[in-house]
Amino acid sequence: MISLIKNRNGQQLAVYSFGDATQPAIIFSNSLGTDHGMWQAQVTVFAQDYFVICYDTRGHGKSAVIDNSTLTDLANDVVDILDHFNIEKAHFCGISMGGITGLQLGLIAPQHFLSITIANSAAKIGQETAWLSRADTVETEGLADIVSTTHMRWFSDKFDYIHDAIAQQSIQSLSVTPPKGYAAACRALAQADLREQISAIQVPCLALCGGLDPVTTVADGEFMQAHIPNCEIAVVDASHLSNIEAPQQFNQIFAEFIAKH
């Protein structure tokens, strides 16, 4: 079911819910340039036993494009979604941009979370200058160049992304992401650096890494495990969008982790 809700600033967020609302809740947060549809292989499995919420991060899918967004704004949107459903505590799982959003939630809204899974992400993703340059390029030239090469960043060579429906749908979602929305997210990521702060996170965390991920590496996961007091690490045999490339392995690791919390 889709709900078009307003966040605390009156901006539209597109939110999708699945399963029984009386069950424990999981909220999934998408990566840069994708939308809620990237979580299809997780929704199918987890909506049997959980109330599953996916949403389009601001500037993506059917959610509003909002300039001057920060990582704190991305995190506050998640809290606003939980408030909309009157959910006191949820399991959080975010990938890439969604993963660093989870770290920020662990710092500013820990009371809302039973666990936080940080998939294919890092306490700092990429370099500020590269993000700002990408934002400017996308705003002036659009996303076509990024779309044409994105499979090389998202998936490993051994994955047949051409014949995978969710992979194709995710590449399609990138092609229709508003350039201004994508650029605003790049600028939020440019400023996002939580390396000094994550040691304050008290929520149980899982750093779920892709062993073949060139973007956010296993070393990034090991850094989080070393600095967050209660953080496990797991590695799946996949590249950057590991939930799409290795869904069964991803789901099993995630299911075992949240079952403990």
Side-chain angles (χ1 to χ4, degrees):
M1 184 179 120
I2 181 172
S3 308
L4 298 177
I5 75 167
K6 299 283 194 234
N7 70 2
R8 64 191 64 192
N9 304 119
Q11 301 278 4
Q12 176 175 295
L13 298 173
V15 184
Y16 303 78
S17 55
F18 309 87
D20 181 350
T22 65
Q23 296 285 69
I26 302 172
I27 184 161
F28 288 103
S29 182
N30 58 285
S31 63
L32 176 66
T34 64
D35 61 19
H36 70 282
M38 74 170 305
W39 296 109
Q40 224 170 288
Q42 285 67 50
V43 170
T44 303
V45 170
F46 290 99
Q48 296 171 38
D49 300 304
Y50 292 88
F51 181 54
V52 175
I53 301 166
C54 306
Y55 68 103
D56 297 336
T57 299
R58 55 171 62 200
H60 294 66
K62 291 185 167 64
S63 291
V65 174
I66 310 172
D67 284 335
N68 303 316
S69 294
T70 65
L71 185 61
T72 298
D73 294 324
L74 300 184
N76 284 335
D77 286 346
V78 176
V79 176
D80 294 345
I81 291 166
L82 295 179
D83 286 347
H84 170 80
F85 289 102
N86 297 312
I87 292 168
E88 288 183 18
K89 280 183 180 285
H91 296 285
F92 178 90
C93 179
I95 193 163
S96 195
M97 175 174 67
I100 195 170
T101 300
L103 292 176
Q104 183 76 329
L105 286 164
L107 291 165
I108 65 172
Q111 69 278 13
H112 287 288
F113 298 97
L114 298 162
S115 74
I116 293 173
T117 295
I118 310 118
N120 298 83
S121 194
K124 175 177 167 52
I125 304 172
Q127 299 304 315
E128 180 177 358
T129 50
W131 283 123
L132 296 177
S133 169
R134 190 192 293 193
D136 292 344
T137 301
V138 164
E139 275 190 329
T140 54
E141 299 173 17
L143 279 157
D145 272 1
I146 289 175
V147 171
S148 68
T149 58
T150 199
H151 64 278
M152 294 187 283
R153 289 183 297 278
W154 284 0
F155 309 117
S156 73
D157 291 343
K158 70 182 182 60
F159 178 60
D160 184 9
Y161 76 94
I162 289 172
H163 295 102
D164 186 278
I166 302 174
Q168 286 301 310
Q169 181 186 314
S170 297
I171 293 170
Q172 172 64 19
S173 69
L174 174 63
S175 71
V176 297
T177 297
K180 279 193 172 303
Y182 187 97
C186 288
R187 293 187 179 111
L189 289 170
Q191 307 302 326
D193 184 354
L194 301 179
R195 289 174 295 182
E196 300 284 310
Q197 295 149 261
I198 58 172
S199 58
I201 295 174
Q202 297 299 317
V203 182
C205 289
L206 169 65
L208 212 172
C209 311
L212 305 172
D213 186 348
V215 183
T216 50
T217 62
V218 173
D220 289 316
E222 289 168 345
F223 180 90
M224 291 186 283
Q225 185 195 25
H227 289 82
I228 298 169
N230 184 5
C231 184
E232 298 179 28
I233 189 168
V235 181
V236 299
D237 187 27
S239 187
H240 192 55
L241 296 191
S242 62
N243 70 307
I244 296 175
E245 183 169 341
Q248 289 171 310
Q249 199 183 2
F250 185 102
N251 292 350
Q252 183 178 351
I253 291 167
F254 179 59
E256 289 171 1
F257 174 68
I258 61 174
K260 293 188 283 197
H261 301 287

